PDB file of all heavy atoms in Angstrom:
ATOM      1  N   LEU A 178     -16.253  -1.960 -31.357  1.00 98.00           N
ATOM      2  CA  LEU A 178     -15.572  -1.812 -30.070  1.00 98.00           C
ATOM      3  C   LEU A 178     -14.082  -1.589 -30.272  1.00 98.00           C
ATOM      4  O   LEU A 178     -13.461  -0.774 -29.573  1.00 98.00           O
ATOM      5  CB  LEU A 178     -15.821  -3.040 -29.187  1.00 98.00           C
ATOM      6  CG  LEU A 178     -15.107  -3.057 -27.831  1.00 98.00           C
ATOM      7  CD1 LEU A 178     -15.440  -1.811 -27.015  1.00 98.00           C
ATOM      8  CD2 LEU A 178     -15.475  -4.320 -27.050  1.00 98.00           C
ATOM      9  N   PHE A 179     -13.499  -2.275 -31.232  1.00 98.00           N
ATOM     10  CA  PHE A 179     -12.070  -2.075 -31.501  1.00 98.00           C
ATOM     11  C   PHE A 179     -11.801  -0.643 -31.931  1.00 98.00           C
ATOM     12  O   PHE A 179     -10.803  -0.034 -31.529  1.00 98.00           O
ATOM     13  CB  PHE A 179     -11.574  -3.051 -32.571  1.00 98.00           C
ATOM     14  CG  PHE A 179     -10.081  -3.007 -32.778  1.00 98.00           C
ATOM     15  CD1 PHE A 179      -9.229  -3.712 -31.951  1.00 98.00           C
ATOM     16  CD2 PHE A 179      -9.533  -2.226 -33.792  1.00 98.00           C
ATOM     17  CE1 PHE A 179      -7.845  -3.654 -32.129  1.00 98.00           C
ATOM     18  CE2 PHE A 179      -8.160  -2.163 -33.978  1.00 98.00           C
ATOM     19  CZ  PHE A 179      -7.315  -2.879 -33.143  1.00 98.00           C
ATOM     20  N   ASN A 180     -12.696  -0.079 -32.728  1.00 97.00           N
ATOM     21  CA  ASN A 180     -12.532   1.312 -33.160  1.00 97.00           C
ATOM     22  C   ASN A 180     -12.618   2.272 -31.976  1.00 97.00           C
ATOM     23  O   ASN A 180     -11.881   3.259 -31.909  1.00 97.00           O
ATOM     24  CB  ASN A 180     -13.581   1.666 -34.213  1.00 97.00           C
ATOM     25  CG  ASN A 180     -13.330   0.977 -35.534  1.00 97.00           C
ATOM     26  OD1 ASN A 180     -12.202   0.584 -35.841  1.00 97.00           O
ATOM     27  ND2 ASN A 180     -14.376   0.795 -36.329  1.00 97.00           N
ATOM     28  N   ILE A 181     -13.523   1.990 -31.033  1.00 97.00           N
ATOM     29  CA  ILE A 181     -13.608   2.808 -29.817  1.00 97.00           C
ATOM     30  C   ILE A 181     -12.316   2.677 -29.017  1.00 97.00           C
ATOM     31  O   ILE A 181     -11.790   3.659 -28.488  1.00 97.00           O
ATOM     32  CB  ILE A 181     -14.819   2.397 -28.963  1.00 97.00           C
ATOM     33  CG1 ILE A 181     -16.128   2.670 -29.714  1.00 97.00           C
ATOM     34  CG2 ILE A 181     -14.823   3.138 -27.629  1.00 97.00           C
ATOM     35  CD1 ILE A 181     -17.363   2.140 -29.015  1.00 97.00           C
ATOM     36  N   ALA A 182     -11.803   1.447 -28.948  1.00 97.00           N
ATOM     37  CA  ALA A 182     -10.548   1.208 -28.231  1.00 97.00           C
ATOM     38  C   ALA A 182      -9.403   2.003 -28.858  1.00 97.00           C
ATOM     39  O   ALA A 182      -8.548   2.552 -28.152  1.00 97.00           O
ATOM     40  CB  ALA A 182     -10.226  -0.280 -28.222  1.00 97.00           C
ATOM     41  N   GLN A 183      -9.389   2.092 -30.175  1.00 96.00           N
ATOM     42  CA  GLN A 183      -8.337   2.854 -30.843  1.00 96.00           C
ATOM     43  C   GLN A 183      -8.367   4.335 -30.466  1.00 96.00           C
ATOM     44  O   GLN A 183      -7.317   4.968 -30.333  1.00 96.00           O
ATOM     45  CB  GLN A 183      -8.476   2.721 -32.361  1.00 96.00           C
ATOM     46  CG  GLN A 183      -8.002   1.388 -32.913  1.00 96.00           C
ATOM     47  CD  GLN A 183      -8.027   1.371 -34.428  1.00 96.00           C
ATOM     48  OE1 GLN A 183      -9.068   1.556 -35.049  1.00 96.00           O
ATOM     49  NE2 GLN A 183      -6.878   1.178 -35.028  1.00 96.00           N
ATOM     50  N   SER A 184      -9.583   4.858 -30.298  1.00 95.00           N
ATOM     51  CA  SER A 184      -9.694   6.280 -29.961  1.00 95.00           C
ATOM     52  C   SER A 184      -9.532   6.540 -28.468  1.00 95.00           C
ATOM     53  O   SER A 184      -9.235   7.661 -28.057  1.00 95.00           O
ATOM     54  CB  SER A 184     -11.049   6.823 -30.428  1.00 95.00           C
ATOM     55  OG  SER A 184     -12.124   6.154 -29.792  1.00 95.00           O
ATOM     56  N   THR A 185      -9.714   5.501 -27.652  1.00 95.00           N
ATOM     57  CA  THR A 185      -9.566   5.641 -26.198  1.00 95.00           C
ATOM     58  C   THR A 185      -8.137   5.355 -25.753  1.00 95.00           C
ATOM     59  O   THR A 185      -7.564   6.092 -24.956  1.00 95.00           O
ATOM     60  CB  THR A 185     -10.534   4.695 -25.468  1.00 95.00           C
ATOM     61  OG1 THR A 185     -11.874   4.954 -25.904  1.00 95.00           O
ATOM     62  CG2 THR A 185     -10.452   4.867 -23.957  1.00 95.00           C
ATOM     63  N   CYS A 186      -7.587   4.270 -26.264  1.00 96.00           N
ATOM     64  CA  CYS A 186      -6.232   3.837 -25.886  1.00 96.00           C
ATOM     65  C   CYS A 186      -5.265   4.285 -26.981  1.00 96.00           C
ATOM     66  O   CYS A 186      -4.710   3.468 -27.724  1.00 96.00           O
ATOM     67  CB  CYS A 186      -6.197   2.322 -25.693  1.00 96.00           C
ATOM     68  SG  CYS A 186      -7.378   1.722 -24.468  1.00 96.00           S
ATOM     69  N   VAL A 187      -5.075   5.582 -27.059  1.00 96.00           N
ATOM     70  CA  VAL A 187      -4.317   6.152 -28.170  1.00 96.00           C
ATOM     71  C   VAL A 187      -2.840   5.780 -28.068  1.00 96.00           C
ATOM     72  O   VAL A 187      -2.318   5.538 -26.969  1.00 96.00           O
ATOM     73  CB  VAL A 187      -4.475   7.681 -28.209  1.00 96.00           C
ATOM     74  CG1 VAL A 187      -5.916   8.063 -28.493  1.00 96.00           C
ATOM     75  CG2 VAL A 187      -4.014   8.313 -26.895  1.00 96.00           C
ATOM     76  N   PRO A 188      -2.149   5.731 -29.196  1.00 96.00           N
ATOM     77  CA  PRO A 188      -0.715   5.409 -29.165  1.00 96.00           C
ATOM     78  C   PRO A 188       0.074   6.438 -28.362  1.00 96.00           C
ATOM     79  O   PRO A 188      -0.371   7.576 -28.166  1.00 96.00           O
ATOM     80  CB  PRO A 188      -0.319   5.451 -30.648  1.00 96.00           C
ATOM     81  CG  PRO A 188      -1.587   5.297 -31.406  1.00 96.00           C
ATOM     82  CD  PRO A 188      -2.644   5.930 -30.564  1.00 96.00           C
ATOM     83  N   LEU A 189       1.239   6.025 -27.926  1.00 94.00           N
ATOM     84  CA  LEU A 189       2.114   6.929 -27.192  1.00 94.00           C
ATOM     85  C   LEU A 189       2.731   7.932 -28.159  1.00 94.00           C
ATOM     86  O   LEU A 189       3.364   7.564 -29.142  1.00 94.00           O
ATOM     87  CB  LEU A 189       3.215   6.136 -26.480  1.00 94.00           C
ATOM     88  CG  LEU A 189       4.209   6.940 -25.647  1.00 94.00           C
ATOM     89  CD1 LEU A 189       3.493   7.713 -24.546  1.00 94.00           C
ATOM     90  CD2 LEU A 189       5.262   6.003 -25.042  1.00 94.00           C
ATOM     91  N   SER A 190       2.527   9.213 -27.875  1.00 93.00           N
ATOM     92  CA  SER A 190       3.102  10.282 -28.682  1.00 93.00           C
ATOM     93  C   SER A 190       3.285  11.495 -27.787  1.00 93.00           C
ATOM     94  O   SER A 190       2.733  11.557 -26.683  1.00 93.00           O
ATOM     95  CB  SER A 190       2.182  10.638 -29.854  1.00 93.00           C
ATOM     96  OG  SER A 190       0.970  11.203 -29.376  1.00 93.00           O
ATOM     97  N   ARG A 191       4.042  12.453 -28.259  1.00 92.00           N
ATOM     98  CA  ARG A 191       4.246  13.663 -27.461  1.00 92.00           C
ATOM     99  C   ARG A 191       2.918  14.391 -27.252  1.00 92.00           C
ATOM    100  O   ARG A 191       2.642  14.919 -26.170  1.00 92.00           O
ATOM    101  CB  ARG A 191       5.263  14.586 -28.137  1.00 92.00           C
ATOM    102  CG  ARG A 191       5.586  15.815 -27.301  1.00 92.00           C
ATOM    103  CD  ARG A 191       6.664  16.657 -27.950  1.00 92.00           C
ATOM    104  NE  ARG A 191       7.960  16.002 -27.947  1.00 92.00           N
ATOM    105  CZ  ARG A 191       8.810  16.018 -26.928  1.00 92.00           C
ATOM    106  NH1 ARG A 191       8.482  16.637 -25.801  1.00 92.00           N
ATOM    107  NH2 ARG A 191       9.988  15.418 -27.019  1.00 92.00           N
ATOM    108  N   LYS A 192       2.075  14.420 -28.275  1.00 90.00           N
ATOM    109  CA  LYS A 192       0.787  15.090 -28.157  1.00 90.00           C
ATOM    110  C   LYS A 192      -0.086  14.432 -27.095  1.00 90.00           C
ATOM    111  O   LYS A 192      -0.777  15.107 -26.334  1.00 90.00           O
ATOM    112  CB  LYS A 192       0.062  15.067 -29.509  1.00 90.00           C
ATOM    113  CG  LYS A 192      -1.278  15.771 -29.490  1.00 90.00           C
ATOM    114  CD  LYS A 192      -1.929  15.726 -30.862  1.00 90.00           C
ATOM    115  CE  LYS A 192      -3.300  16.392 -30.836  1.00 90.00           C
ATOM    116  NZ  LYS A 192      -3.957  16.330 -32.180  1.00 90.00           N
ATOM    117  N   ALA A 193      -0.042  13.097 -27.030  1.00 89.00           N
ATOM    118  CA  ALA A 193      -0.887  12.368 -26.083  1.00 89.00           C
ATOM    119  C   ALA A 193      -0.351  12.424 -24.661  1.00 89.00           C
ATOM    120  O   ALA A 193      -1.127  12.343 -23.696  1.00 89.00           O
ATOM    121  CB  ALA A 193      -1.031  10.906 -26.521  1.00 89.00           C
ATOM    122  N   ASN A 194       0.984  12.558 -24.508  1.00 89.00           N
ATOM    123  CA  ASN A 194       1.561  12.530 -23.163  1.00 89.00           C
ATOM    124  C   ASN A 194       2.867  13.317 -23.139  1.00 89.00           C
ATOM    125  O   ASN A 194       3.960  12.751 -23.093  1.00 89.00           O
ATOM    126  CB  ASN A 194       1.792  11.079 -22.710  1.00 89.00           C
ATOM    127  CG  ASN A 194       1.973  10.953 -21.211  1.00 89.00           C
ATOM    128  OD1 ASN A 194       2.402  11.890 -20.550  1.00 89.00           O
ATOM    129  ND2 ASN A 194       1.660   9.786 -20.675  1.00 89.00           N
ATOM    130  N   GLU A 195       2.724  14.617 -23.169  1.00 91.00           N
ATOM    131  CA  GLU A 195       3.886  15.517 -23.175  1.00 91.00           C
ATOM    132  C   GLU A 195       4.774  15.291 -21.955  1.00 91.00           C
ATOM    133  O   GLU A 195       6.007  15.289 -22.052  1.00 91.00           O
ATOM    134  CB  GLU A 195       3.409  16.968 -23.211  1.00 91.00           C
ATOM    135  CG  GLU A 195       4.514  18.002 -23.089  1.00 91.00           C
ATOM    136  CD  GLU A 195       5.341  18.156 -24.352  1.00 91.00           C
ATOM    137  OE1 GLU A 195       4.778  17.965 -25.441  1.00 91.00           O
ATOM    138  OE2 GLU A 195       6.540  18.467 -24.232  1.00 91.00           O
ATOM    139  N   ARG A 196       4.149  15.102 -20.796  1.00 88.00           N
ATOM    140  CA  ARG A 196       4.919  14.937 -19.559  1.00 88.00           C
ATOM    141  C   ARG A 196       5.798  13.689 -19.609  1.00 88.00           C
ATOM    142  O   ARG A 196       6.943  13.711 -19.152  1.00 88.00           O
ATOM    143  CB  ARG A 196       3.990  14.874 -18.346  1.00 88.00           C
ATOM    144  CG  ARG A 196       4.718  14.716 -17.021  1.00 88.00           C
ATOM    145  CD  ARG A 196       3.789  14.796 -15.834  1.00 88.00           C
ATOM    146  NE  ARG A 196       4.452  14.459 -14.595  1.00 88.00           N
ATOM    147  CZ  ARG A 196       5.249  15.282 -13.908  1.00 88.00           C
ATOM    148  NH1 ARG A 196       5.467  16.494 -14.356  1.00 88.00           N
ATOM    149  NH2 ARG A 196       5.809  14.901 -12.780  1.00 88.00           N
ATOM    150  N   PHE A 197       5.282  12.609 -20.173  1.00 91.00           N
ATOM    151  CA  PHE A 197       6.069  11.381 -20.235  1.00 91.00           C
ATOM    152  C   PHE A 197       7.280  11.577 -21.137  1.00 91.00           C
ATOM    153  O   PHE A 197       8.373  11.074 -20.838  1.00 91.00           O
ATOM    154  CB  PHE A 197       5.206  10.223 -20.724  1.00 91.00           C
ATOM    155  CG  PHE A 197       5.888   8.884 -20.637  1.00 91.00           C
ATOM    156  CD1 PHE A 197       6.432   8.438 -19.444  1.00 91.00           C
ATOM    157  CD2 PHE A 197       5.998   8.065 -21.748  1.00 91.00           C
ATOM    158  CE1 PHE A 197       7.067   7.202 -19.354  1.00 91.00           C
ATOM    159  CE2 PHE A 197       6.619   6.832 -21.676  1.00 91.00           C
ATOM    160  CZ  PHE A 197       7.158   6.395 -20.480  1.00 91.00           C
TER     161      PHE A 197
END
Side-chain angles (χ1 to χ4, degrees):
L178 177 56
F179 187 83
N180 289 337
I181 296 173
Q183 284 186 301
S184 61
T185 304
C186 303
V187 296
L189 181 59
S190 66
R191 184 176 291 276
K192 181 179 178 181
N194 198 334
E195 175 75 31
R196 181 174 172 79
F197 188 54

